[in-house]
Amino acid sequence: MDPVSFWATPLGWTLITVGQVLLITVGVLIAVAFLLLADRKVWAGVQMRKGPNVVGPFGLLQSFADMIKFVLKEVVIPAGADKAVFIIAPIITVILAFMAWAVIPFAPGWVVSDLNVGILYIFAVSSLGVYGIIMGGWASNSKYPFLGSLRSAAQMVSYEVSLGLIIINVILLAGTMNLSAIVDSQKGMFWNWYGFGGGADTWPLVVILFPMSIIFFISALAETNRPPFDLPEAESELVAGYQVEYSSTPYLLFMMGEYVNIVFMSAMISLLFFGGWNPGVPQAWMDGLPAWIAYTIYLLTFMIKTVFWFVCISMVKAFVPRYRYDQLMRLGWKIFLPTSLVAVVIVSAWRVFVVGS
Amino acid sequence: MLQGIAFYLLAAVATVSGLLVVTARNPVHSVLWLILAFFSSAGLFVLLGAEFLAMLLVVVYVGAVAVLFLFVVMMLDVDFLKLREGYARYLPLGAIIAAVLLVEMIIVSVAVVQGGAAAGLPAPGAPDASVTNVEAIGRVLYTDYVYFFQAAGIVLLIAMIGAITLTLRHKPNIKRQNPGDQVNRDRRKSVEIKPAATGEGVSAEELL
């Protein structure tokens, strides 16, 4: 049997997919370990502190030390807790956080599953993410976690609406829900990126699409329960919200899921609005390069954009005070939802009457 | 082969979790099993090649409707002993409803096998293989069935307006924040400079 046909057999396909999944999981985990440190360093920098700087050079190994510490501690399960749900909740959070990465294209063709409904898949998986938090809060059988999980349920359902409507703008312009195709349609100079109008036919839409990318960024903060929208775990009111009763590895899983989601949202902003792996500069000189150099450039471009948005998210954490609950709901339902609805109407009108089919 | 494994796995999970929805003692567990049943049926949709419907099932039912279910059920203070009390009393009624459902499902499956009333009509399907799922649905939904689509939209709109009017209450003595006013507030509106003679100051009554 020659090797080409082996990879086409069910066994070969399973092996290759498991390999890709492992590669992405490990890659994302290592990236998250260092981004978590970067998050703490940025936060410390804004507050004129040094941040973690003891474990390893510049504190680079801090996240690994934290992980070992969490894993070695004892798992405390409250007596009144619903044991099964209590343990399942953080596992669900972390699994769903990693599931979404299956459709993220890292470079041309570098994607585990090139779904035609990639964006809907992401939307479905991120809407499931709320279950980890609700289940954790309910199963703890304690007041603060329960309040935290109720807040989180309302918050995530509200901001999903505006996230979805903003994504519809991009889908309308790209004409596809396949993420690789969406990134591919932003090829060329940076003004082809949807955040900057999306190219020759639709450049005046920059007045709508750039604000939409900002609203997407803010909604992503709310969707990932990041400050200033970290009401589910508001430490000044709810101690730590849904995580109060969690300790050791289950807590680690919650934190890991949260950070994987944040990195994922940064990746989504760069894919949908800022060109993904497209460098946004003339690319003709890259044609002569060997494939592996070209792909490294694509991968690095994507990573730099993702890290840029991650740093933005962590700076917001340091700058902005926490929203009150009614302010959060007002922002979501009374400002973002109507704004993004109007944007969908204008973008689709432009698509039909100016660009044509 | 992989499809076969996936089908039997998903079907088994869906059936078992469906059974556990009705047998679970704790209503919150019931809702959680219901969510698993939804999720596995979405997987079955994917196996049928209807990935768009599968994703919509997850987004709408699992992501939004079931969250609100869970929300309500978690808030309920259910007395489980009381809930079990009427079991024998309601058993005949439940059995009748189950029997009616079973008969109807048998009739439907027979009709599906035989082709039913629509046997002579061509089955709506993808125009050709290159057209994606989403496009195929969009083509019929916004052309042949556009009036039904609009009518369904209006029905949902009416339901939404009804829900809002039923729950909207304006309480009279409540303080509300108006962010526009707060942002537009400036020095002239909020600060007043009162003349005060040096060495004497002003008394509280004068300030009013």
Side-chain angles (χ1 to χ4, degrees):
Chain A
M1 190 199 284
D2 62 304
V4 179
S5 68
F6 171 71
W7 296 120
T9 59
L11 179 69
W13 180 86
T14 312
L15 281 180
I16 205 163
T17 310
V18 168
Q20 289 170 338
V21 168
L22 280 180
L23 186 70
I24 287 188
T25 311
V26 171
V28 169
L29 266 181
I30 292 172
V32 162
F34 288 109
L35 283 172
L36 213 156
L37 179 77
D39 185 40
R40 292 168 72 174
K41 283 278 191 190
V42 168
W43 200 12
V46 172
Q47 295 172 347
M48 299 175 89
R49 290 185 287 118
K50 279 200 165 143
N53 62 350
V54 177
V55 191
F58 314 108
L60 278 177
L61 301 176
Q62 180 68 45
S63 301
F64 299 98
D66 284 345
M67 195 198 86
I68 293 166
K69 185 188 75 175
F70 275 126
V71 171
L72 292 181
K73 280 190 172 178
E74 185 192 354
V75 185
V76 181
I77 301 178
D82 189 323
K83 277 209 186 63
V85 181
F86 188 82
I87 295 296
I88 290 171
I91 298 176
I92 285 187
T93 307
V94 85
I95 288 178
L96 286 172
F98 279 109
M99 263 173 78
W101 285 89
V103 292
I104 292 284
F106 291 90
W110 285 17
V111 49
V112 176
S113 173
D114 204 14
L115 280 181
N116 276 327
V117 287
I119 286 197
L120 269 180
Y121 171 82
I122 283 168
F123 207 55
V125 171
S126 75
S127 69
L128 289 178
V130 68
Y131 282 114
I133 294 174
I134 300 188
M135 283 163 72
W138 175 79
S140 302
N141 197 12
S142 164
K143 285 191 185 68
Y144 285 144
F146 188 61
L147 283 174
S149 69
L150 287 186
R151 281 183 177 188
S152 140
Q155 175 180 333
M156 288 174 88
V157 169
S158 315
Y159 278 82
E160 236 158 51
V161 182
S162 60
L163 273 186
L165 282 170
I166 295 165
I167 292 178
I168 285 177
N169 290 322
V170 175
I171 297 176
L172 281 171
L173 291 176
T176 172
M177 285 203 246
N178 182 315
L179 271 170
S180 306
I182 286 177
V183 176
D184 214 37
S185 65
Q186 306 178 52
K187 217 169 15 199
M189 297 298 284
F190 64 86
W191 53 73
N192 286 349
W193 299 352
Y194 289 128
F196 300 129
D201 291 337
T202 53
W203 65 268
L205 288 180
V206 65
V207 290
I208 295 165
L209 286 170
F210 190 71
M212 278 300 121
S213 60
I214 303 296
I215 294 184
F216 188 91
F217 174 74
I218 300 172
S219 303
L221 292 176
E223 188 72 9
T224 50
N225 298 322
R226 268 299 269 201
F229 305 113
D230 60 339
L231 289 146
E233 43 175 305
E235 71 272 3
S236 52
E237 315 152 32
L238 297 182
V239 193
Y242 60 94
Q243 304 168 341
V244 171
E245 307 288 351
Y246 279 92
S247 57
S248 177
T249 315
Y251 177 80
L252 173 72
L253 291 180
F254 261 135
M255 282 304 281
M256 212 195 298
E258 202 180 311
Y259 271 88
V260 171
N261 265 329
I262 293 164
V263 181
F264 174 76
M265 276 298 175
S266 325
M268 279 299 286
I269 300 170
S270 50
L271 284 176
L272 290 175
F273 290 102
F274 296 96
W277 31 259
N278 290 308
V281 291
Q283 284 176 44
W285 58 275
M286 279 173 64
D287 292 339
L289 293 174
W292 67 272
I293 296 182
Y295 275 81
T296 311
I297 291 174
Y298 287 137
L299 187 65
L300 277 179
T301 314
F302 176 65
M303 281 161 69
I304 288 170
K305 285 175 185 169
T306 308
V307 169
F308 172 78
W309 286 107
F310 183 83
V311 170
C312 285
I313 289 179
S314 49
M315 288 215 283
V316 169
K317 178 183 180 180
F319 293 160
V320 188
R322 183 179 300 124
Y323 265 55
R324 215 170 53 214
Y325 198 71
D326 61 320
Q327 293 170 330
L328 171 94
M329 283 297 160
R330 176 179 166 277
L331 189 69
W333 288 107
K334 291 191 178 169
I335 298 176
F336 285 177
L337 180 61
T339 316
S340 43
L341 258 178
V342 170
V344 170
V345 171
I346 295 173
V347 168
S348 45
W350 188 279
R351 185 79 181 70
V352 171
F353 296 116
V354 182
V355 181
S357 46
Chain B
M1 187 187 78
L2 285 174
Q3 282 93 336
I5 296 172
F7 171 77
Y8 284 111
L9 198 70
L10 288 168
V13 171
T15 320
V16 170
S17 51
L19 203 65
L20 283 164
V21 173
V22 280
T23 52
R25 282 164 178 270
N26 192 329
V28 174
H29 289 177
S30 291
V31 178
L32 293 176
W33 287 118
L34 182 70
I35 291 159
L36 186 58
F38 277 149
F39 195 71
S40 331
S41 13
L44 290 175
F45 273 53
V46 172
L47 286 182
L48 284 173
E51 70 262 21
F52 180 66
L53 287 182
M55 294 307 155
L56 280 195
L57 182 74
V58 175
V59 171
V60 176
Y61 285 96
V62 185
V65 176
V67 172
L68 299 179
F69 260 34
L70 199 59
F71 204 93
V72 173
V73 171
M74 283 194 317
M75 305 270 249
L76 292 178
D77 188 19
V78 186
D79 187 354
F80 301 122
L81 281 177
K82 222 173 185 177
L83 213 63
R84 314 234 120 215
E85 251 173 22
Y87 189 70
R89 192 148 57 91
Y90 295 118
L91 192 61
L93 189 66
I96 291 169
I97 293 174
V100 170
L101 276 177
L102 184 67
V103 171
E104 281 179 355
M105 279 166 80
I106 290 171
I107 293 171
V108 167
S109 46
V110 169
V112 167
V113 170
Q114 303 218 324
L121 299 172
D128 58 84
S130 67
V131 173
T132 63
N133 221 300
V134 187
E135 255 187 284
I137 290 177
R139 280 186 189 177
V140 287
L141 197 60
Y142 299 117
T143 53
D144 299 350
Y145 302 107
V146 66
Y147 295 116
F148 300 101
F149 179 71
Q150 293 285 343
I154 289 170
V155 170
L156 286 175
L157 181 68
I158 292 169
M160 192 179 88
I161 294 172
I164 291 172
T165 43
L166 281 177
T167 50
L168 185 68
R169 269 179 299 175
H170 285 292
K171 290 182 190 161
N173 300 319
I174 203 163
K175 279 188 179 173
R176 281 182 195 284
Q177 185 185 22
N178 188 345
D181 282 355
Q182 288 180 336
V183 172
N184 288 327
R185 189 164 169 261
D186 63 357
R187 191 176 58 79
R188 272 164 301 168
K189 285 186 201 159
S190 40
V191 184
E192 196 183 344
I193 298 177
K194 294 272 186 186
T198 314
E200 291 174 15
V202 282
S203 70
E205 287 84 29
E206 281 174 65
L207 287 177
L208 291 175

